[in-house]
Amino acid sequence: MRAVFVLYLLVTLLYHVSCCEKETHYMKDGKCCKMCGPGKRMLVEGKCEDPACQDCPNGEYQSGYTRETKCERQPYCDINLHFKPQQAYPSKTSISECECEPGYYCTQDDDCSTCMEHTVCKPGQRLAKKGSPVSDTVCEACKNGTFSTEDSADTCKEWKTCEHGYDANTPGTSTSDRTCLGAPIYRVLIGVGVAVLVLLLAIIFFVLYKTKKNAGWIEIPNLKPKIAVLNMINNTQDIDIEKTSEQPRQPEEDIDNSVPVSPTPSNMTENGKFCCSRARQRTYCLMY
């Protein structure tokens, strides 16, 4: 009979244990009791099936079910140590991990307790991998034939290639470009040709200017006012002529248009004198 009773107790205990969830319940005095949920803590172990729970205070959290009477404290992130400012009301159900400000990083190995500055890639290097809040920057040296002159350059630039007719004055390095010396012959010829053309144009302009000045080229004045005055004078003369034509004509006097005539037998007088003039196809003889 005793054996049957012990077996009954064992079966009952195993039943309660198997039916009690470990994540949300706990065993007490052979009973399966409830825990307080995330973001809460247990005040007093009251009733097994209905415990007294309270929210975690600000700055504390509880990520899972618990029978503890205290919550976990949120980490303190000091802005003087290059941490970002924390939220005014952090979560009560999960940890609010500290984050470093830009340019700094922290590792997960030390739970981000300190912030370290990102490595700065020097001239002659390039940025192979940018730093993150949880990892450092990765730098890589510039390959042969390339260079960089700035800190944390994204890429390395290739050396300059000297054109035909140029000579490499100084070779390139990982921090400086190659410099070229000299000038291609075609550029020199183009420059000389342009200079000669400009000189010829200047000479032609100078010769034309001198020729114009010596020839006395002047601008033709405006003759319209003078033409108007001449027209006015001509009109006045026409009026005078009309008035004159209206007056009675006077008999014209014979005008002696005589010209000297050489003495010949045809113009000699009986006394041996000759006519000295001829007027209007009539000969007048002067008798001496």
Side-chain angles (χ1 to χ4, degrees):
M1 195 68 185
R2 182 180 294 178
V4 175
F5 179 74
V6 171
L7 182 60
Y8 172 78
L9 291 177
L10 291 175
V11 171
T12 303
L13 181 62
L14 289 174
Y15 172 79
H16 286 289
V17 171
S18 61
C19 293
C20 190
E21 296 181 1
K22 294 182 179 180
E23 293 183 357
T24 59
H25 294 74
Y26 68 98
M27 294 297 299
K28 181 181 180 183
D29 298 333
K31 294 181 180 181
C32 184
C33 302
K34 291 181 178 180
M35 296 182 182
C36 292
K40 299 180 179 295
R41 63 188 179 94
M42 189 175 291
L43 290 178
V44 179
E45 292 186 3
K47 295 181 179 181
C48 178
E49 296 180 356
D50 187 17
C53 300
Q54 187 180 38
D55 292 339
C56 294
N58 290 332
E60 297 182 2
Y61 73 100
Q62 184 60 255
S63 58
Y65 287 86
T66 183
R67 56 185 294 186
E68 300 294 333
T69 58
K70 293 183 180 179
C71 296
E72 300 288 339
R73 293 187 61 83
Q74 293 281 9
Y76 174 68
C77 305
D78 191 353
I79 60 175
N80 296 318
L81 299 178
H82 304 290
F83 285 107
K84 289 182 178 180
Q86 291 176 290
Q87 298 179 358
Y89 300 100
S91 174
K92 295 183 178 183
T93 59
S94 62
I95 185 172
S96 299
E97 296 181 353
C98 295
E99 294 183 6
C100 297
E101 63 184 18
Y104 292 84
Y105 73 101
C106 61
T107 62
Q108 299 297 330
D109 298 337
D110 59 357
D111 295 330
C112 202
S113 60
T114 56
C115 289
M116 294 174 287
E117 189 175 4
H118 284 146
T119 300
V120 178
C121 299
K122 304 297 182 182
Q125 297 177 331
R126 75 175 187 90
L127 200 63
K129 183 180 178 181
K130 291 184 178 180
S132 69
V134 294
S135 63
D136 194 11
T137 302
V138 178
C139 301
E140 183 179 63
C142 292
K143 297 180 181 179
N144 186 28
T146 61
F147 73 101
S148 66
T149 58
E150 300 176 353
D151 291 341
S152 298
D154 292 332
T155 58
C156 295
K157 301 178 182 178
E158 294 185 358
W159 291 344
K160 182 188 300 180
T161 301
C162 296
E163 298 180 5
H164 180 69
Y166 284 98
D167 295 327
N169 186 25
T170 56
T173 65
S174 61
T175 58
S176 62
D177 194 6
R178 175 191 289 150
T179 58
C180 301
L181 182 65
I185 187 65
Y186 68 89
R187 292 188 180 181
V188 176
L189 294 177
I190 292 175
V192 173
V194 172
V196 171
L197 181 60
V198 172
L199 181 61
L200 288 176
L201 292 176
I203 293 174
I204 293 172
F205 177 78
F206 179 76
V207 171
L208 291 176
Y209 174 76
K210 285 293 185 182
T211 304
K212 180 179 178 180
K213 185 176 182 181
N214 294 335
W217 291 357
I218 58 175
E219 296 182 358
I220 299 176
N222 188 2
L223 299 179
K224 289 183 178 181
K226 294 183 178 180
I227 293 173
V229 173
L230 291 175
N231 291 334
M232 185 181 297
I233 294 173
N234 290 335
N235 294 333
T236 305
Q237 290 178 352
D238 293 340
I239 294 173
D240 294 339
I241 291 172
E242 292 177 358
K243 290 181 179 179
T244 304
S245 61
E246 294 176 359
Q247 296 178 0
R249 299 174 63 89
Q250 298 293 333
E252 296 181 359
E253 296 180 358
D254 292 337
I255 299 173
D256 186 8
N257 293 326
S258 62
V259 294
V261 179
S262 302
T264 60
S266 62
N267 61 14
M268 296 293 291
T269 63
E270 295 177 355
N271 296 328
K273 304 297 183 178
F274 63 91
C275 296
C276 62
S277 64
R278 179 178 296 172
R280 297 184 182 277
Q281 304 299 325
R282 292 178 295 178
T283 303
Y284 295 91
C285 298
L286 299 177
M287 307 303 294
Y288 296 96

